[in-house]
């Protein structure tokens, strides 16, 4: 048993404190100190003299730069020099002997469940010293049982929580289905009992006894009613089960979408979290309802099983035992394989995402042109096939092994059942039971076997579903931006300036800083440009300004208020942005614009004005249905636009928002020179009372900016107006000259 963490400086500190007569407590790990301590106890160590020690004490000593707490088994005193021998792990291994110089202290007392207890337990010391060979295996067994019990308790708790979570809001439907399942579990067995009664009554029936005939008729009618009830229940089941399914799915999707919308951007860039999201989305569509159905089927089987127990007890109880034994191998195999399948799924999710990605390339429209042009269909098909084959092979290998074990379990069960049936026949031949009871047994065995199988199948499936569902629950528990960034303690304002103070930022998945110690100011009402080569950190700074990420160092202030405290939600409400990878929405043109501000009522005039400022108004007006024309190519009657036109739509969307701050990341990359000029004019006009930040590597776009920041490798290397930067004859100047030369060459 080792006290936790003993790096060198900790070791020194421990000794200094103990020398100073302080007592220290350590969290105990392992179980070599049994039966005195348990894992999790806090052993309180005090300094002691070598003479004070006795065999059976728990001593703390230094061993290879580590502090070890073990039980002392022998003390040798040679010429006044002490040699101590202690026993370590599981009380089995004798440690290397150590001297007084290595002795640190002794555990006199310990803390368990907030109670301080004495470590001097003579009876336990005695057991540990003389009977550890018997006591330790016993302790191990006890630990294992506790472990399994603890596991089961945790599983059961998570099951209860998960069922509550997924059935939240669908309680009524769940109860309706529960009652139907309960009845469905009982009715078939009630029918079997009635059939037994019919057979027995029929055998003893004679024409003269009208009372017997009357009773026979009553049983016949009851049987018919039960048959009818069984039919009605199965009809009701399909209706109510559909109702439950719809109600649950509706809520699951609601939660799924809500969570997606609130997730912080970094989640989409981290492969591990992407795997989790992938699994959650995949599972969410069917797993909750599957789990509830299994749960209902469990209720049905439990009802049947209870009925069955009564039945067997009334005839021959030990046959029930045989029935239970017959199902055990099947259950164990199912449990084992459901765990294995989950583990496989876990390891396969990355490959699955890879496969889906290749499938998207092979079937998705955005890739179709390049696929044809470069003819790389075969390339991706081969990759898809390799991953798919690999996934399938792993799955099928596991299924094969499951099949082998499953067949073995079936043979075992059927053999037991046949032995029981033989025994029943023997009882009949000996005249101990009636023919009706034989019929009852045959049916009860056949149904009972499937009920028990069904019951345990449901239990294992529920456990399996629960394991998978945990992915969805974990996904729901992923920190959302509201928790991470959108704390929003203070309000947003931009009347003076944005100041970026010593900001550095590294993406979660990257080892390099994307931006490094950046200091800059953006005066309110001015237009500022970020220029620099690709990968120099411009977009990253824009994303930080939007509040999508936190700086790792430094801070961003809007009018002296820290962006972190304003929170992402409030920042986004007050700004507008056009990103390089803007999205295309297959909805009517006007909605493509009004999406820019869904908080205000739909405003057609404002949308038209925004379209005009972005230079897309004439195109939209000429569409077959004007502003109401559906854009894109997904739906019938849509009109597809060019990429430059889509970009103008994205810019118009930003203009429609009409915010204090406009962020534009390469807003005109797909535009021709005229369009670019028009947008710049609009932006300039708009930004009189607004602040604008524009990212570009086209110097023609940024010449008119009030201030230009030149980025290089995540840092700002030059600052000034276009004229000042040219006069500086630095990097901006070189880039400007290079661009001009290229343009001249192009004109030639
Ligand atoms: P720019 O906008 O100037 O072209 P970016 O800000 O996009 O540059 O990128 C700056 C650096 O950050 C680059 O080295 C890039 O590889 C890295 N980077 C950008 N986006 C991510 C991301 N999502 N995850 C990890 N690294 C990124």
């Amino acid at each position: 048993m080792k006290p936790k963490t003993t790096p060198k400086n900790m070791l020194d500190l421990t000794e200094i404190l103990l020398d100073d007569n302080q007592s220290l407590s350590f969290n105990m790990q392992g179980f070599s100190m049994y039966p005195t301590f348990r894992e999790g106890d806090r052993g309180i160590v005090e300094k002691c003299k070598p003479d004070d020690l006795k065999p059976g004490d728990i001593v703390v000593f230094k061993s290879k730069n580590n502090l070890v707490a073990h039980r002392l088994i022998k003390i040798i005193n040679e010429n006044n020099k002490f040699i101590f021998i202690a026993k370590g792990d599981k009380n089995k291994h004798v440690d290397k002997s150590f001297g007084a110089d290595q002795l640190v202290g002794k555990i006199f007392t310990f803390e368990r469940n907030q109670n301080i207890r004495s470590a001097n337990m003579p009876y336990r010391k005695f057991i540990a010293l003389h009977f550890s060979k018997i006591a330790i295996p016993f302790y191990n067994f006890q630990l294992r049982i506790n472990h399994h019990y603890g596991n089961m308790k945790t599983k059961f708790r998570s099951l209860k929580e998960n069922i509550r979570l997924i059935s939240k809001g669908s309680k009524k439907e769940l109860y309706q289905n529960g009652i139907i399942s309960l009845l469905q579990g009982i009715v078939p067995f009630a029918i079997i009992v009635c059939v037994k009664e019919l057979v027995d009554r029929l055998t003893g029936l004679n024409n003269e006894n009208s009372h017997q005939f009357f009773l026979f008729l009553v049983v016949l009618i009851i049987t018919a009613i039960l048959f009818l009830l069984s039919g009605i229940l199965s009809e009701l089941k399909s209706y109510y089960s559909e109702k439950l399914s719809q109600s649950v799915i509706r809520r699951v999707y609601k939660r799924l979408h809500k969570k997606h919308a609130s997730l912080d951007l970094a989640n989409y860039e981290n492969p591990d979290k992407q795997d989790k999201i992938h699994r959650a989305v995949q599972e969410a569509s069917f797993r909750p309802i599957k789990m509830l159905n299994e749960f209902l089927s469990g209720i049905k089987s439990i009802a049947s099983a209870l009925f069955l127990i009564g039945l067997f007890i009334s005839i021959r109880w030990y046959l029930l035992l045989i029935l239970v034994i017959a199902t055990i191998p099947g259950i164990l195999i199912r449990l084992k394989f459901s765990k294995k399948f989950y583990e496989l799924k876990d390891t396969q999710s990355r490959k699955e995402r890879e496969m889906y990605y290749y499938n998207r390339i092979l079937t998705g429209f955005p890739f179709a042109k390049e696929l044809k042009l470069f003819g790389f269909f075969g390339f991706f098909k081969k990759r898809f096939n390799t991953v798919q084959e690999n996934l399938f092979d792993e799955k099928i290998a596991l299924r094969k092994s499951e099949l082998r074990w499953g067949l073995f379990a079936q043979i075992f069960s059927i053999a037991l059942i046949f032995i029981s049936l033989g025994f029943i026949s023997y009882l009949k031949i000996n005249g101990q039971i009636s023919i009706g009871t034989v019929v009852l047994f045959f049916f009860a065995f056949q149904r009972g076997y499937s009920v028990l199988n069904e019951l345990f199948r449901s239990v294992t499936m529920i456990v399996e579903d629960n394991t998978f569902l945990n992915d969805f629950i974990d996904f729901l528990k992923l920190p959302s931006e509201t928790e991470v960034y959108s704390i929003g303690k203070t309000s947003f304002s931009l009347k003076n300036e944005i100041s970026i103070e010593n900001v550095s930022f590294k993406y979660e998945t990257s080892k390099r800083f994307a931006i490094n110690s950046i200091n800059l100011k953006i005066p309110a009402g001015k237009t500022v440009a970020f220029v620099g080569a690709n990968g120099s950190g411009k977009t990253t700074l824009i994303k930080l300004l939007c509040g999508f990420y936190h700086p790792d160092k430094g801070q961003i202030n809007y009018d002296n208020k820290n962006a972190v405290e304003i929170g992402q939600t409030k920042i986004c409400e007050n700004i507008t942005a056009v990103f390089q990878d803007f999205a295309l929405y297959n909805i009517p043109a006007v909605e493509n614009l009004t999406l820019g501000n869904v908080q205000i009522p739909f405003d057609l005039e404002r949308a038209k004005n925004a379209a005009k400022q972005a230079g897309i108004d004439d195109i939209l007006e000429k569409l077959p249905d004007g502003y109401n024309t559906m854009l894109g190519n997904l739906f019938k009657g849509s009109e597809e636009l060019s990429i430059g036109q889509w970009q103008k739509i994205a810019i118009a969307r930003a203009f429609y928002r009409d915010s204090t701050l406009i962020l534009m990341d390469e807003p005109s990359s797909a535009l021709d020179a005229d369009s670019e000029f028009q947008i710049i004019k609009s932006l300039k006009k708009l930004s009189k009372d607004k602040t604008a930040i524009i990212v570009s590597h086209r110097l023609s776009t940024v010449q008119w900016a009030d201030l230009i920041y030149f980025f290089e490798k995540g840092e700002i290397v030059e600052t000034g107006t276009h004229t000042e930067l040219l006069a500086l004859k630095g990097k901006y100047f070189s880039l400007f000259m290079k661009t001009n030369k290229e343009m001249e060459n192009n004109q030639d």
Side-chain angles (χ1 to χ4, degrees):
M1 189 182 285
K2 289 176 199 161
K4 264 186 185 163
T5 57
T6 46
K8 182 77 179 79
N9 49 358
M10 280 289 284
L11 212 73
D12 296 342
L13 184 67
T14 308
E15 287 209 278
I16 293 169
L17 288 170
L18 287 173
D19 282 342
D20 201 23
N21 278 338
Q22 308 269 356
S23 62
L24 299 175
S25 72
F26 293 96
N27 227 357
M28 310 310 281
Q29 286 180 304
F31 46 91
S32 56
M33 310 323 303
Y34 176 79
T36 308
F37 298 152
R38 287 188 213 143
E39 194 162 68
D41 287 347
R42 292 182 74 78
I44 302 169
V45 188
E46 291 173 42
K47 199 151 176 67
C48 70
K49 289 199 204 97
D51 306 324
D52 300 339
L53 293 175
K54 287 192 190 62
D57 285 345
I58 293 151
V59 284
V60 177
F61 58 95
K62 286 183 282 182
S63 164
K64 292 184 204 148
N65 266 342
N66 235 338
L67 271 189
V68 181
H70 279 170
R71 191 179 295 279
L72 199 58
I73 56 161
K74 208 169 176 186
I75 305 172
I76 305 165
N77 191 340
E78 273 178 8
N79 308 328
N80 267 350
K81 264 183 101 178
F82 282 99
I83 299 170
F84 299 106
I85 299 171
K87 236 180 183 183
D89 228 7
K90 298 185 186 172
N91 263 349
K92 274 187 196 153
H93 307 292
V94 177
D95 299 325
K96 228 173 118 191
S97 59
F98 63 93
D101 53 329
Q102 281 165 273
L103 179 69
V104 174
K106 173 180 155 181
I107 300 186
F108 286 91
T109 44
F110 68 97
E111 189 188 325
R112 181 182 297 164
N113 302 333
Q114 293 168 343
N115 290 323
I116 304 286
R117 300 165 190 225
S118 164
N120 188 24
M121 299 171 160
Y123 147 75
R124 295 190 182 197
K125 268 187 196 174
F126 182 77
I127 293 186
L129 284 176
H130 304 290
F131 294 100
S132 63
K133 280 209 167 65
I134 307 168
I136 292 298
F138 173 74
Y139 180 57
N140 282 347
F141 178 70
Q142 193 191 338
L143 275 183
R144 199 165 304 150
I145 297 275
N146 285 351
H147 174 74
H148 285 304
Y149 177 65
N151 258 356
M152 261 170 64
K153 247 172 66 179
T154 332
K155 267 196 183 138
F156 185 70
R157 203 175 308 130
S158 103
L159 189 79
K160 232 171 82 184
E161 265 175 35
N162 288 355
I163 288 191
R164 193 176 315 135
L165 187 85
I166 54 180
S167 62
K168 207 170 154 194
S170 311
K171 284 257 152 50
K172 194 174 124 207
E173 288 82 357
L174 191 63
Y175 285 133
Q176 287 164 340
N177 278 275
I179 293 168
I180 294 173
S181 301
L182 205 73
L183 291 174
Q184 278 192 316
I186 297 170
V187 170
F189 287 92
I191 292 178
I192 296 176
V193 173
C194 287
V195 170
K196 177 225 177 243
E197 277 300 306
L198 281 179
V199 173
D200 278 347
R201 283 181 193 283
L202 204 60
T203 13
L205 200 67
N206 59 49
N207 285 345
E208 280 106 65
N209 195 335
S210 59
H211 178 65
Q212 269 188 7
F213 186 72
F214 172 73
L215 286 180
F216 172 76
L217 265 186
V218 170
V219 178
L220 193 66
I221 291 169
I222 293 176
T223 316
I225 293 174
L226 284 175
F227 266 108
L228 181 67
L229 183 61
S230 164
I232 293 174
L233 282 175
S234 95
E235 293 302 324
L236 287 178
K237 175 81 190 167
S238 50
Y239 170 71
Y240 283 103
S241 133
E242 182 66 34
K243 245 180 106 176
L244 173 70
S245 154
Q246 288 193 9
S247 145
V248 170
I249 289 177
R250 209 176 298 141
R251 280 193 174 77
V252 164
Y253 272 103
K254 211 163 144 185
R255 280 202 197 109
L256 188 78
H257 293 157
K258 204 167 154 200
K259 188 73 205 179
H260 257 288
S262 76
L263 272 190
D264 116 55
L265 264 195
N267 284 311
Y268 295 95
E269 288 160 0
N270 179 327
D272 285 335
K273 295 207 178 120
Q274 274 187 55
D275 280 346
K276 192 167 264 200
I277 296 174
H278 168 75
R279 282 207 301 268
V281 174
Q282 235 191 357
E283 297 296 324
S285 59
F286 74 98
R287 193 68 69 175
I289 194 63
K290 181 168 176 291
M291 184 160 151
L292 283 187
N293 281 335
E294 293 295 351
F295 175 67
L296 291 169
S297 141
I299 290 183
K300 183 172 145 190
S301 307
I302 288 172
S304 303
L306 290 178
F307 202 96
L308 205 67
I309 290 171
L311 246 167
F312 274 90
I313 287 176
S314 71
I315 310 166
R316 293 286 185 282
W317 65 269
Y318 46 83
L319 290 173
L320 179 67
L321 208 66
I322 296 181
L323 197 60
V324 172
I325 294 172
T327 49
I328 286 177
I331 302 157
L332 294 180
I333 287 165
R334 237 175 234 133
L335 278 175
K336 178 180 150 128
F337 279 92
S338 81
K339 194 162 165 239
K340 285 194 171 209
F341 272 109
Y342 178 75
E343 283 163 4
L344 181 71
K345 181 98 185 160
D346 200 32
T347 54
Q348 284 193 335
S349 38
R350 187 152 303 181
K351 282 191 212 153
E352 250 177 31
R353 270 201 308 121
E354 195 182 335
M355 186 177 87
Y356 290 146
Y357 174 64
Y358 296 141
N359 183 47
R360 227 174 64 215
I361 295 180
L362 291 167
T363 56
F365 178 66
F367 302 94
K369 279 196 296 289
E370 294 200 5
L371 203 76
K372 284 192 191 308
L373 182 73
F374 296 112
F376 50 50
F377 173 83
F379 177 85
F380 281 109
K381 182 70 194 142
K382 203 165 146 203
R383 291 221 165 160
F384 176 85
N385 286 349
T386 314
V387 182
Q388 194 186 46
E389 270 163 31
N390 191 280
L391 286 173
F392 282 8
D393 285 352
E394 284 173 352
K395 257 188 216 158
I396 210 76
L398 199 57
R399 286 275 174 225
K400 211 165 160 184
S401 156
E402 187 192 26
L403 174 71
R404 228 177 285 136
W405 282 99
L407 284 177
F408 161 76
Q410 286 292 340
I411 292 169
F412 174 81
S413 317
I414 306 283
L416 270 189
I417 287 173
F418 267 89
I419 291 171
S420 312
L421 293 181
F423 179 68
I424 296 293
S425 312
Y426 167 79
L427 289 179
K428 166 70 188 112
I429 295 163
N430 272 0
Q432 291 180 30
I433 50 173
S434 69
I435 184 75
T437 313
V438 175
V439 172
L440 174 70
F441 252 115
F442 276 33
F443 274 126
F445 246 102
Q446 185 254 336
R447 298 294 305 244
Y449 177 66
S450 56
V451 160
L452 286 186
N453 249 318
E454 189 60 26
L455 175 63
F456 292 116
R457 197 196 64 85
S458 299
V459 172
T460 44
M461 288 314 276
I462 288 176
V463 172
E464 182 183 308
D465 287 338
N466 196 43
T467 325
F468 281 104
L469 200 72
N470 277 333
D471 284 331
F472 177 58
I473 309 286
D474 284 351
F475 165 76
L476 292 183
K477 286 184 188 156
L478 277 179
S480 41
E481 59 197 12
T482 24
E483 288 154 47
V484 184
Y485 299 124
S486 297
I487 312 152
K489 282 190 218 138
T490 176
S491 59
F492 177 94
S493 76
L494 182 51
K495 295 203 172 65
N496 302 319
E497 61 175 15
I498 306 171
S499 66
I500 295 171
E501 294 171 4
N502 212 16
V503 165
S504 300
F505 175 75
K506 190 164 66 174
Y507 287 97
E508 212 177 284
T509 49
S510 166
K511 289 192 180 66
R512 291 172 295 131
F513 276 95
I515 53 174
N516 208 349
S517 305
I518 283 192
N519 282 294
L520 60 89
K521 289 200 187 309
I522 297 156
K526 299 284 175 201
T527 303
V528 171
F530 294 169
V531 284
N534 286 334
S536 56
K538 308 177 297 286
T539 303
T540 305
L541 190 56
I542 293 284
K543 289 197 266 185
L544 284 168
L545 281 164
C546 291
F548 293 150
Y549 303 98
H550 251 333
D552 293 316
K553 280 190 226 145
Q555 63 183 57
I556 295 176
N557 297 321
Y558 286 97
D559 275 357
N560 284 330
K561 283 184 218 148
N562 191 337
V564 177
E565 281 177 12
I566 299 171
Q568 192 229 294
T569 313
K570 270 190 219 153
I571 295 179
C572 285
E573 274 166 16
N574 287 283
I575 66 170
T576 186
V578 186
F579 298 105
Q580 287 175 61
D581 51 351
F582 57 90
L584 319 178
Y585 301 97
N586 284 250
I587 52 177
V590 63
E591 288 181 1
N592 253 294
L593 307 180
T594 55
L595 269 189
N597 196 344
V598 286
Q599 263 72 42
I600 58 164
F602 176 88
D603 187 341
L604 182 61
E605 276 319 301
R606 184 168 163 149
K608 284 185 174 172
N609 201 19
K612 196 163 176 214
Q613 284 159 356
I616 187 78
D617 53 332
D618 51 343
I619 306 279
L620 297 185
E621 269 154 24
K622 280 185 204 133
L623 288 173
D625 219 358
Y627 277 81
N628 289 323
T629 312
M630 186 78 110
L631 299 186
N633 52 22
L634 272 191
F635 304 110
K636 215 170 158 193
S638 301
E639 283 288 319
E640 182 57 300
L641 300 181
S642 76
I643 189 69
Q645 288 166 339
W646 272 114
Q647 192 161 36
K648 285 183 184 174
I649 295 263
I651 295 169
R653 186 157 54 234
F655 286 160
Y656 180 85
R657 192 169 179 82
D658 193 20
S659 311
T660 353
L661 174 65
I662 307 177
L663 303 170
M664 295 215 164
D665 190 359
E666 302 278 358
S668 48
S669 55
L671 300 188
D672 50 58
D674 277 353
S675 309
E676 183 182 332
F677 182 65
Q678 193 185 350
I679 289 182
I680 291 164
K681 242 173 45 189
S682 303
L683 197 58
K684 196 90 181 115
K685 213 161 89 192
L686 274 174
S687 58
K688 269 200 190 112
D689 52 337
K690 295 182 197 313
T691 314
I693 302 175
I694 182 156
V695 172
S696 182
H697 53 250
R698 266 198 216 170
L699 298 191
S700 55
T701 314
V702 301
Q703 284 182 28
W704 48 271
D706 298 311
L707 195 56
I708 300 168
Y709 287 104
F710 194 94
F711 282 63
E712 193 179 76
K713 294 184 186 150
E715 290 174 15
I716 291 175
V717 286
E718 284 173 19
T719 311
T721 59
H722 175 68
T723 331
E724 283 165 359
L725 287 176
L726 285 186
L728 199 67
K729 296 223 158 75
K731 301 199 170 180
Y732 181 86
F733 174 79
S734 312
L735 185 66
F736 185 74
M737 296 309 283
K738 198 173 139 207
T739 324
N740 273 358
K741 210 168 191 174
E742 275 169 11
M743 276 169 66
E744 273 169 26
N745 288 345
N746 284 347
Q747 275 164 13
D748 289 346

